[in-house]
Amino acid sequence: MWPMGPSHSEDSGRRGLSSRHFLKLIEDGGEIGFWSSDMARDHIRASVGFYRIIGLDPSVEVTFSLIREMVHPGDRAAQADLLTLLRAGHAVKREFRIIRPDRTQRWISSRAEVLLGADDRPSRAIGVVQDVTERHEARRSVEQEQDRCRALIEATAAVVWYASPDGAVLEMPQWLELTGQSQEEVQRTGWLGAVHPEDRPRTEAAWRTAVSHASPYNTDYRILCADGVHRWFNARGAPILNQDGTIREWVGVCLS
């Protein structure tokens, strides 16, 4: 069903291995499945891995129409041109959701190419599908965490900041809005210019101590806000470490 070439098959056979063994090894190791189809027909010849990914019994006849019905309703319109593109000779690479017969949802990465016949017209299509659900779920989890942090920052009116391993400012957009300082003005220790003169020496000393010892930073000081009023804030920061123990960056927050 899925030959790898005469010479290779014969050689593999002598060693007790066949192209089918190699196919199973590939499919079992990476949640991958293969398929092929005659462009003049709706029928799809699929590997065991393909059936496993889409959740169908190998005895079920697979067709493009069946796969189209399995595509998530929210993705169906975007994938409606897939067969048309293949029949026109275009390679296709897509990612979309499917709903299996058991009602579970999976993300599928699909790649297909077209083989030309003797008349140089599209004759057959071959493709590979891969279950990429874990990658999409991981990305969604990260996005959810970012949304939660963003909501928390907005709810607490917090000023979030990032600094390089040596303590130089990298990002502090809320600080710029709060103080009216420019990005250029806050570079290195320029942000101290918005700290009340009486609080500035101990604030700078606390920050330098934290950076030199790679220890958490926690201090209170008054900030001259853009409206001309000094307000008290609690500033906290911590180093984000690499696997070898070195500092990758600093992240912190100022709470009013």
Side-chain angles (χ1 to χ4, degrees):
M1 182 176 176
W2 300 97
M4 299 180 68
S7 61
H8 194 112
S9 297
E10 293 170 2
D11 183 62
S12 297
R14 286 195 294 270
R15 290 180 168 81
L17 295 174
S18 67
S19 59
R20 193 177 298 276
H21 288 112
F22 285 109
L23 177 62
K24 184 178 185 302
L25 180 64
I26 294 172
E27 291 188 332
D28 289 349
E31 291 298 324
I32 291 176
F34 300 91
W35 62 270
S36 69
S37 176
D38 185 332
M39 285 287 85
R41 303 177 58 203
D42 190 40
H43 177 69
I44 295 175
R45 297 178 63 193
S47 68
V48 174
F50 183 95
Y51 277 100
R52 181 172 59 247
I53 289 174
I54 65 174
L56 289 176
D57 187 274
S59 63
V60 176
E61 181 179 0
V62 180
T63 63
F64 284 108
S65 299
L66 175 61
I67 298 300
R68 189 183 304 115
E69 289 301 314
M70 293 181 66
V71 174
H72 190 285
D75 298 342
R76 200 169 292 165
Q79 308 307 321
D81 63 342
L82 193 148
L83 186 55
T84 300
L85 290 172
L86 290 177
R87 285 175 172 166
H90 299 288
V92 178
K93 181 178 181 181
R94 301 280 178 83
E95 287 194 3
F96 51 86
R97 294 165 293 175
I98 64 168
I99 299 178
R100 291 168 164 175
D102 62 3
R103 307 310 297 168
T104 57
Q105 177 180 294
R106 307 299 293 180
W107 273 96
I108 302 298
S109 173
S110 174
R111 296 182 60 183
E113 293 190 359
V114 177
L115 304 179
L116 302 181
D119 57 357
D120 288 333
R121 296 177 62 84
S123 173
R124 297 190 62 79
I126 58 173
V128 56
V129 295
Q130 182 175 10
D131 189 326
V132 292
T133 305
E134 288 187 6
R135 172 159 59 82
H136 278 271
E137 289 181 344
R139 184 171 64 187
R140 182 181 179 187
S141 178
V142 170
E143 291 173 349
Q144 287 179 333
E145 287 300 316
Q146 292 174 339
D147 290 341
R148 290 169 182 166
C149 290
R150 192 177 300 111
L152 183 60
I153 291 170
E154 292 176 355
T156 59
V159 173
V160 178
W161 50 267
Y162 302 91
S164 63
D166 63 355
V169 169
L170 292 177
E171 296 179 49
M172 49 192 330
Q174 290 96 354
W175 178 279
L176 304 183
E177 184 178 350
L178 176 68
T179 65
Q181 286 185 299
S182 67
Q183 182 66 35
E184 292 72 25
E185 289 174 327
V186 300
Q187 294 305 302
R188 305 307 300 179
T189 58
W191 58 274
L192 285 164
V195 176
H196 194 287
E198 295 178 2
D199 304 333
R200 203 171 297 161
R202 63 177 177 78
T203 298
E204 182 175 11
W207 177 233
R208 291 189 181 280
T209 297
V211 171
S212 62
H213 292 82
S215 59
Y217 169 68
N218 189 346
T219 189
D220 298 321
Y221 51 74
R222 287 165 288 181
I223 295 176
L224 178 60
C225 299
D227 60 5
V229 178
H230 280 94
R231 294 183 175 86
W232 280 99
F233 282 80
N234 172 245
R236 301 186 182 193
I240 305 299
L241 304 180
N242 295 309
Q243 291 186 348
D244 61 1
T246 59
I247 298 176
R248 185 168 73 242
E249 65 178 356
W250 287 82
V251 61
V253 63
C254 295
L255 300 170
S256 59

PDB file of all heavy atoms in Angstrom, residues 52-56 66-74 76 97-107 133 137:
ATOM      1  N   ARG A  52      -6.129   6.340  13.005  1.00  0.00           N
ATOM      2  CA  ARG A  52      -6.000   6.571  14.446  1.00  0.00           C
ATOM      3  C   ARG A  52      -6.161   8.049  14.774  1.00  0.00           C
ATOM      4  O   ARG A  52      -6.818   8.421  15.755  1.00  0.00           O
ATOM      5  CB  ARG A  52      -4.642   6.057  14.934  1.00  0.00           C
ATOM      6  CG  ARG A  52      -4.452   6.237  16.451  1.00  0.00           C
ATOM      7  CD  ARG A  52      -3.186   5.547  16.950  1.00  0.00           C
ATOM      8  NE  ARG A  52      -1.998   6.049  16.298  1.00  0.00           N
ATOM      9  CZ  ARG A  52      -1.231   5.349  15.477  1.00  0.00           C
ATOM     10  NH1 ARG A  52      -1.549   4.093  15.192  1.00  0.00           N
ATOM     11  NH2 ARG A  52      -0.154   5.870  14.928  1.00  0.00           N
ATOM     12  N   ILE A  53      -5.567   8.922  13.974  1.00  0.00           N
ATOM     13  CA  ILE A  53      -5.625  10.358  14.224  1.00  0.00           C
ATOM     14  C   ILE A  53      -7.038  10.893  14.108  1.00  0.00           C
ATOM     15  O   ILE A  53      -7.488  11.691  14.939  1.00  0.00           O
ATOM     16  CB  ILE A  53      -4.678  11.112  13.269  1.00  0.00           C
ATOM     17  CG1 ILE A  53      -3.222  10.840  13.663  1.00  0.00           C
ATOM     18  CG2 ILE A  53      -4.962  12.614  13.282  1.00  0.00           C
ATOM     19  CD1 ILE A  53      -2.209  11.415  12.702  1.00  0.00           C
ATOM     20  N   ILE A  54      -7.768  10.455  13.085  1.00  0.00           N
ATOM     21  CA  ILE A  54      -9.117  10.995  12.900  1.00  0.00           C
ATOM     22  C   ILE A  54     -10.170  10.210  13.677  1.00  0.00           C
ATOM     23  O   ILE A  54     -11.351  10.573  13.674  1.00  0.00           O
ATOM     24  CB  ILE A  54      -9.506  11.058  11.414  1.00  0.00           C
ATOM     25  CG1 ILE A  54      -9.594   9.658  10.804  1.00  0.00           C
ATOM     26  CG2 ILE A  54      -8.521  11.921  10.640  1.00  0.00           C
ATOM     27  CD1 ILE A  54     -10.111   9.673   9.375  1.00  0.00           C
ATOM     28  N   GLY A  55      -9.733   9.140  14.345  1.00  0.00           N
ATOM     29  CA  GLY A  55     -10.649   8.432  15.239  1.00  0.00           C
ATOM     30  C   GLY A  55     -11.634   7.515  14.558  1.00  0.00           C
ATOM     31  O   GLY A  55     -12.723   7.274  15.091  1.00  0.00           O
ATOM     32  N   LEU A  56     -11.278   6.965  13.398  1.00  0.00           N
ATOM     33  CA  LEU A  56     -12.167   6.060  12.674  1.00  0.00           C
ATOM     34  C   LEU A  56     -11.600   4.642  12.657  1.00  0.00           C
ATOM     35  O   LEU A  56     -10.379   4.441  12.724  1.00  0.00           O
ATOM     36  CB  LEU A  56     -12.350   6.525  11.228  1.00  0.00           C
ATOM     37  CG  LEU A  56     -13.168   7.797  10.999  1.00  0.00           C
ATOM     38  CD1 LEU A  56     -13.160   8.149   9.518  1.00  0.00           C
ATOM     39  CD2 LEU A  56     -14.597   7.627  11.500  1.00  0.00           C
ATOM     40  N   LEU A  66     -16.387  12.798   3.702  1.00  0.00           N
ATOM     41  CA  LEU A  66     -16.430  12.423   5.108  1.00  0.00           C
ATOM     42  C   LEU A  66     -15.514  13.318   5.936  1.00  0.00           C
ATOM     43  O   LEU A  66     -15.907  13.807   7.004  1.00  0.00           O
ATOM     44  CB  LEU A  66     -16.018  10.958   5.272  1.00  0.00           C
ATOM     45  CG  LEU A  66     -15.894  10.445   6.722  1.00  0.00           C
ATOM     46  CD1 LEU A  66     -17.229  10.545   7.430  1.00  0.00           C
ATOM     47  CD2 LEU A  66     -15.372   9.004   6.724  1.00  0.00           C
ATOM     48  N   ILE A  67     -14.302  13.539   5.447  1.00  0.00           N
ATOM     49  CA  ILE A  67     -13.357  14.399   6.159  1.00  0.00           C
ATOM     50  C   ILE A  67     -13.901  15.815   6.263  1.00  0.00           C
ATOM     51  O   ILE A  67     -13.780  16.476   7.301  1.00  0.00           O
ATOM     52  CB  ILE A  67     -11.985  14.404   5.457  1.00  0.00           C
ATOM     53  CG1 ILE A  67     -11.385  12.999   5.454  1.00  0.00           C
ATOM     54  CG2 ILE A  67     -11.043  15.391   6.132  1.00  0.00           C
ATOM     55  CD1 ILE A  67     -11.153  12.413   6.825  1.00  0.00           C
ATOM     56  N   ARG A  68     -14.526  16.303   5.194  1.00  0.00           N
ATOM     57  CA  ARG A  68     -15.098  17.647   5.199  1.00  0.00           C
ATOM     58  C   ARG A  68     -16.151  17.776   6.308  1.00  0.00           C
ATOM     59  O   ARG A  68     -16.227  18.796   6.990  1.00  0.00           O
ATOM     60  CB  ARG A  68     -15.706  17.961   3.849  1.00  0.00           C
ATOM     61  CG  ARG A  68     -16.142  19.417   3.685  1.00  0.00           C
ATOM     62  CD  ARG A  68     -16.813  19.659   2.332  1.00  0.00           C
ATOM     63  NE  ARG A  68     -15.939  19.249   1.231  1.00  0.00           N
ATOM     64  CZ  ARG A  68     -16.206  18.255   0.401  1.00  0.00           C
ATOM     65  NH1 ARG A  68     -17.326  17.554   0.540  1.00  0.00           N
ATOM     66  NH2 ARG A  68     -15.366  17.966  -0.577  1.00  0.00           N
ATOM     67  N   GLU A  69     -16.933  16.721   6.506  1.00  0.00           N
ATOM     68  CA  GLU A  69     -17.962  16.753   7.541  1.00  0.00           C
ATOM     69  C   GLU A  69     -17.357  16.691   8.939  1.00  0.00           C
ATOM     70  O   GLU A  69     -17.972  17.150   9.902  1.00  0.00           O
ATOM     71  CB  GLU A  69     -18.931  15.586   7.352  1.00  0.00           C
ATOM     72  CG  GLU A  69     -19.833  15.723   6.140  1.00  0.00           C
ATOM     73  CD  GLU A  69     -20.690  16.979   6.210  1.00  0.00           C
ATOM     74  OE1 GLU A  69     -21.266  17.239   7.278  1.00  0.00           O
ATOM     75  OE2 GLU A  69     -20.759  17.705   5.194  1.00  0.00           O
ATOM     76  N   MET A  70     -16.160  16.137   9.054  1.00  0.00           N
ATOM     77  CA  MET A  70     -15.504  16.026  10.363  1.00  0.00           C
ATOM     78  C   MET A  70     -14.816  17.323  10.779  1.00  0.00           C
ATOM     79  O   MET A  70     -14.490  17.505  11.949  1.00  0.00           O
ATOM     80  CB  MET A  70     -14.478  14.883  10.347  1.00  0.00           C
ATOM     81  CG  MET A  70     -15.083  13.502  10.198  1.00  0.00           C
ATOM     82  SD  MET A  70     -13.828  12.185  10.208  1.00  0.00           S
ATOM     83  CE  MET A  70     -13.223  12.318  11.906  1.00  0.00           C
ATOM     84  N   VAL A  71     -14.563  18.217   9.825  1.00  0.00           N
ATOM     85  CA  VAL A  71     -13.916  19.487  10.145  1.00  0.00           C
ATOM     86  C   VAL A  71     -14.823  20.301  11.068  1.00  0.00           C
ATOM     87  O   VAL A  71     -16.047  20.347  10.888  1.00  0.00           O
ATOM     88  CB  VAL A  71     -13.610  20.291   8.866  1.00  0.00           C
ATOM     89  CG1 VAL A  71     -13.060  21.675   9.216  1.00  0.00           C
ATOM     90  CG2 VAL A  71     -12.615  19.530   8.001  1.00  0.00           C
ATOM     91  N   HIS A  72     -14.221  20.916  12.056  1.00  0.00           N
ATOM     92  CA  HIS A  72     -14.967  21.734  13.023  1.00  0.00           C
ATOM     93  C   HIS A  72     -15.776  22.798  12.273  1.00  0.00           C
ATOM     94  O   HIS A  72     -15.256  23.437  11.348  1.00  0.00           O
ATOM     95  CB  HIS A  72     -13.988  22.409  13.984  1.00  0.00           C
ATOM     96  CG  HIS A  72     -14.630  23.076  15.150  1.00  0.00           C
ATOM     97  ND1 HIS A  72     -15.304  24.277  15.044  1.00  0.00           N
ATOM     98  CD2 HIS A  72     -14.708  22.726  16.462  1.00  0.00           C
ATOM     99  CE1 HIS A  72     -15.755  24.640  16.229  1.00  0.00           C
ATOM    100  NE2 HIS A  72     -15.418  23.705  17.104  1.00  0.00           N
ATOM    101  N   PRO A  73     -17.042  23.004  12.652  1.00  0.00           N
ATOM    102  CA  PRO A  73     -17.865  24.008  11.965  1.00  0.00           C
ATOM    103  C   PRO A  73     -17.215  25.389  11.883  1.00  0.00           C
ATOM    104  O   PRO A  73     -17.386  26.105  10.895  1.00  0.00           O
ATOM    105  CB  PRO A  73     -19.150  24.056  12.817  1.00  0.00           C
ATOM    106  CG  PRO A  73     -19.234  22.684  13.402  1.00  0.00           C
ATOM    107  CD  PRO A  73     -17.810  22.279  13.686  1.00  0.00           C
ATOM    108  N   GLY A  74     -16.434  25.734  12.904  1.00  0.00           N
ATOM    109  CA  GLY A  74     -15.780  27.036  12.891  1.00  0.00           C
ATOM    110  C   GLY A  74     -14.642  27.138  11.894  1.00  0.00           C
ATOM    111  O   GLY A  74     -14.213  28.242  11.540  1.00  0.00           O
ATOM    112  N   ARG A  76     -14.679  25.076   8.950  1.00  0.00           N
ATOM    113  CA  ARG A  76     -15.127  24.442   7.704  1.00  0.00           C
ATOM    114  C   ARG A  76     -15.065  25.384   6.499  1.00  0.00           C
ATOM    115  O   ARG A  76     -14.625  24.999   5.417  1.00  0.00           O
ATOM    116  CB  ARG A  76     -16.536  23.899   7.894  1.00  0.00           C
ATOM    117  CG  ARG A  76     -16.930  22.829   6.888  1.00  0.00           C
ATOM    118  CD  ARG A  76     -18.213  22.174   7.321  1.00  0.00           C
ATOM    119  NE  ARG A  76     -18.026  21.380   8.533  1.00  0.00           N
ATOM    120  CZ  ARG A  76     -19.021  20.937   9.296  1.00  0.00           C
ATOM    121  NH1 ARG A  76     -20.271  21.226   8.972  1.00  0.00           N
ATOM    122  NH2 ARG A  76     -18.770  20.201  10.359  1.00  0.00           N
ATOM    123  N   ARG A  97      -9.246  22.181  13.014  1.00  0.00           N
ATOM    124  CA  ARG A  97      -9.799  21.276  14.023  1.00  0.00           C
ATOM    125  C   ARG A  97     -10.742  20.268  13.369  1.00  0.00           C
ATOM    126  O   ARG A  97     -11.419  20.589  12.408  1.00  0.00           O
ATOM    127  CB  ARG A  97     -10.569  22.065  15.084  1.00  0.00           C
ATOM    128  CG  ARG A  97      -9.711  22.979  15.939  1.00  0.00           C
ATOM    129  CD  ARG A  97     -10.567  23.983  16.687  1.00  0.00           C
ATOM    130  NE  ARG A  97     -11.204  24.932  15.768  1.00  0.00           N
ATOM    131  CZ  ARG A  97     -12.078  25.861  16.150  1.00  0.00           C
ATOM    132  NH1 ARG A  97     -12.446  25.950  17.417  1.00  0.00           N
ATOM    133  NH2 ARG A  97     -12.605  26.692  15.256  1.00  0.00           N
ATOM    134  N   ILE A  98     -10.748  19.074  13.935  1.00  0.00           N
ATOM    135  CA  ILE A  98     -11.741  18.086  13.536  1.00  0.00           C
ATOM    136  C   ILE A  98     -12.481  17.618  14.786  1.00  0.00           C
ATOM    137  O   ILE A  98     -11.971  17.730  15.905  1.00  0.00           O
ATOM    138  CB  ILE A  98     -11.115  16.867  12.819  1.00  0.00           C
ATOM    139  CG1 ILE A  98     -10.188  16.102  13.773  1.00  0.00           C
ATOM    140  CG2 ILE A  98     -10.402  17.282  11.551  1.00  0.00           C
ATOM    141  CD1 ILE A  98      -9.764  14.740  13.237  1.00  0.00           C
ATOM    142  N   ILE A  99     -13.679  17.117  14.570  1.00  0.00           N
ATOM    143  CA  ILE A  99     -14.443  16.507  15.650  1.00  0.00           C
ATOM    144  C   ILE A  99     -14.590  15.031  15.312  1.00  0.00           C
ATOM    145  O   ILE A  99     -15.201  14.662  14.308  1.00  0.00           O
ATOM    146  CB  ILE A  99     -15.827  17.161  15.800  1.00  0.00           C
ATOM    147  CG1 ILE A  99     -15.653  18.647  16.145  1.00  0.00           C
ATOM    148  CG2 ILE A  99     -16.639  16.456  16.887  1.00  0.00           C
ATOM    149  CD1 ILE A  99     -16.960  19.398  16.266  1.00  0.00           C
ATOM    150  N   ARG A 100     -14.009  14.185  16.153  1.00  0.00           N
ATOM    151  CA  ARG A 100     -14.040  12.748  15.907  1.00  0.00           C
ATOM    152  C   ARG A 100     -15.444  12.184  16.180  1.00  0.00           C
ATOM    153  O   ARG A 100     -16.270  12.840  16.830  1.00  0.00           O
ATOM    154  CB  ARG A 100     -13.034  12.059  16.826  1.00  0.00           C
ATOM    155  CG  ARG A 100     -11.571  12.346  16.500  1.00  0.00           C
ATOM    156  CD  ARG A 100     -10.720  11.856  17.634  1.00  0.00           C
ATOM    157  NE  ARG A 100      -9.313  11.735  17.269  1.00  0.00           N
ATOM    158  CZ  ARG A 100      -8.358  11.421  18.138  1.00  0.00           C
ATOM    159  NH1 ARG A 100      -8.666  11.201  19.400  1.00  0.00           N
ATOM    160  NH2 ARG A 100      -7.098  11.321  17.736  1.00  0.00           N
ATOM    161  N   PRO A 101     -15.686  10.963  15.735  1.00  0.00           N
ATOM    162  CA  PRO A 101     -16.980  10.337  16.007  1.00  0.00           C
ATOM    163  C   PRO A 101     -17.309  10.238  17.501  1.00  0.00           C
ATOM    164  O   PRO A 101     -18.489  10.237  17.879  1.00  0.00           O
ATOM    165  CB  PRO A 101     -16.832   8.941  15.386  1.00  0.00           C
ATOM    166  CG  PRO A 101     -15.848   9.149  14.271  1.00  0.00           C
ATOM    167  CD  PRO A 101     -14.873  10.155  14.804  1.00  0.00           C
ATOM    168  N   ASP A 102     -16.271  10.152  18.353  1.00  0.00           N
ATOM    169  CA  ASP A 102     -16.527  10.077  19.798  1.00  0.00           C
ATOM    170  C   ASP A 102     -16.707  11.459  20.421  1.00  0.00           C
ATOM    171  O   ASP A 102     -16.727  11.600  21.631  1.00  0.00           O
ATOM    172  CB  ASP A 102     -15.402   9.324  20.513  1.00  0.00           C
ATOM    173  CG  ASP A 102     -14.044  10.026  20.382  1.00  0.00           C
ATOM    174  OD1 ASP A 102     -13.987  11.128  19.781  1.00  0.00           O
ATOM    175  OD2 ASP A 102     -13.047   9.490  20.884  1.00  0.00           O
ATOM    176  N   ARG A 103     -16.790  12.511  19.563  1.00  0.00           N
ATOM    177  CA  ARG A 103     -17.037  13.906  19.947  1.00  0.00           C
ATOM    178  C   ARG A 103     -15.830  14.597  20.558  1.00  0.00           C
ATOM    179  O   ARG A 103     -15.941  15.714  21.072  1.00  0.00           O
ATOM    180  CB  ARG A 103     -18.239  14.029  20.915  1.00  0.00           C
ATOM    181  CG  ARG A 103     -19.523  13.364  20.429  1.00  0.00           C
ATOM    182  CD  ARG A 103     -19.869  13.780  19.020  1.00  0.00           C
ATOM    183  NE  ARG A 103     -20.142  15.220  18.915  1.00  0.00           N
ATOM    184  CZ  ARG A 103     -20.246  15.881  17.766  1.00  0.00           C
ATOM    185  NH1 ARG A 103     -20.074  15.239  16.620  1.00  0.00           N
ATOM    186  NH2 ARG A 103     -20.499  17.170  17.760  1.00  0.00           N
ATOM    187  N   THR A 104     -14.665  13.979  20.522  1.00  0.00           N
ATOM    188  CA  THR A 104     -13.455  14.662  20.972  1.00  0.00           C
ATOM    189  C   THR A 104     -12.950  15.560  19.854  1.00  0.00           C
ATOM    190  O   THR A 104     -13.129  15.267  18.667  1.00  0.00           O
ATOM    191  CB  THR A 104     -12.344  13.670  21.362  1.00  0.00           C
ATOM    192  OG1 THR A 104     -12.060  12.816  20.246  1.00  0.00           O
ATOM    193  CG2 THR A 104     -12.777  12.843  22.556  1.00  0.00           C
ATOM    194  N   GLN A 105     -12.315  16.661  20.235  1.00  0.00           N
ATOM    195  CA  GLN A 105     -11.804  17.623  19.256  1.00  0.00           C
ATOM    196  C   GLN A 105     -10.288  17.548  19.187  1.00  0.00           C
ATOM    197  O   GLN A 105      -9.621  17.468  20.215  1.00  0.00           O
ATOM    198  CB  GLN A 105     -12.234  19.038  19.664  1.00  0.00           C
ATOM    199  CG  GLN A 105     -11.705  20.138  18.748  1.00  0.00           C
ATOM    200  CD  GLN A 105     -12.172  21.510  19.193  1.00  0.00           C
ATOM    201  OE1 GLN A 105     -13.345  21.835  19.151  1.00  0.00           O
ATOM    202  NE2 GLN A 105     -11.232  22.335  19.645  1.00  0.00           N
ATOM    203  N   ARG A 106      -9.748  17.547  17.982  1.00  0.00           N
ATOM    204  CA  ARG A 106      -8.307  17.496  17.793  1.00  0.00           C
ATOM    205  C   ARG A 106      -7.889  18.529  16.759  1.00  0.00           C
ATOM    206  O   ARG A 106      -8.624  18.839  15.821  1.00  0.00           O
ATOM    207  CB  ARG A 106      -7.851  16.107  17.318  1.00  0.00           C
ATOM    208  CG  ARG A 106      -8.319  14.954  18.162  1.00  0.00           C
ATOM    209  CD  ARG A 106      -7.829  15.017  19.582  1.00  0.00           C
ATOM    210  NE  ARG A 106      -6.377  14.835  19.678  1.00  0.00           N
ATOM    211  CZ  ARG A 106      -5.715  14.856  20.838  1.00  0.00           C
ATOM    212  NH1 ARG A 106      -6.366  15.092  21.968  1.00  0.00           N
ATOM    213  NH2 ARG A 106      -4.419  14.674  20.853  1.00  0.00           N
ATOM    214  N   TRP A 107      -6.669  19.061  16.927  1.00  0.00           N
ATOM    215  CA  TRP A 107      -6.067  19.950  15.924  1.00  0.00           C
ATOM    216  C   TRP A 107      -5.227  19.098  14.982  1.00  0.00           C
ATOM    217  O   TRP A 107      -4.419  18.275  15.426  1.00  0.00           O
ATOM    218  CB  TRP A 107      -5.181  20.989  16.592  1.00  0.00           C
ATOM    219  CG  TRP A 107      -5.914  22.224  17.038  1.00  0.00           C
ATOM    220  CD1 TRP A 107      -6.408  22.498  18.280  1.00  0.00           C
ATOM    221  CD2 TRP A 107      -6.226  23.363  16.222  1.00  0.00           C
ATOM    222  NE1 TRP A 107      -7.005  23.734  18.296  1.00  0.00           N
ATOM    223  CE2 TRP A 107      -6.905  24.287  17.052  1.00  0.00           C
ATOM    224  CE3 TRP A 107      -5.992  23.692  14.883  1.00  0.00           C
ATOM    225  CZ2 TRP A 107      -7.354  25.522  16.575  1.00  0.00           C
ATOM    226  CZ3 TRP A 107      -6.441  24.915  14.409  1.00  0.00           C
ATOM    227  CH2 TRP A 107      -7.109  25.809  15.245  1.00  0.00           C
ATOM    228  N   THR A 133      -2.522  18.752  18.472  1.00  0.00           N
ATOM    229  CA  THR A 133      -3.393  19.260  19.534  1.00  0.00           C
ATOM    230  C   THR A 133      -2.596  19.766  20.728  1.00  0.00           C
ATOM    231  O   THR A 133      -2.901  20.831  21.279  1.00  0.00           O
ATOM    232  CB  THR A 133      -4.364  18.160  19.990  1.00  0.00           C
ATOM    233  OG1 THR A 133      -5.089  17.669  18.859  1.00  0.00           O
ATOM    234  CG2 THR A 133      -5.345  18.704  21.024  1.00  0.00           C
ATOM    235  N   GLU A 137      -2.860  23.435  22.421  1.00  0.00           N
ATOM    236  CA  GLU A 137      -3.318  23.577  23.797  1.00  0.00           C
ATOM    237  C   GLU A 137      -2.274  24.297  24.650  1.00  0.00           C
ATOM    238  O   GLU A 137      -2.620  25.089  25.526  1.00  0.00           O
ATOM    239  CB  GLU A 137      -3.632  22.203  24.383  1.00  0.00           C
ATOM    240  CG  GLU A 137      -4.887  21.569  23.794  1.00  0.00           C
ATOM    241  CD  GLU A 137      -5.194  20.218  24.397  1.00  0.00           C
ATOM    242  OE1 GLU A 137      -4.292  19.635  25.042  1.00  0.00           O
ATOM    243  OE2 GLU A 137      -6.333  19.732  24.220  1.00  0.00           O
TER     244      GLU A 137
END
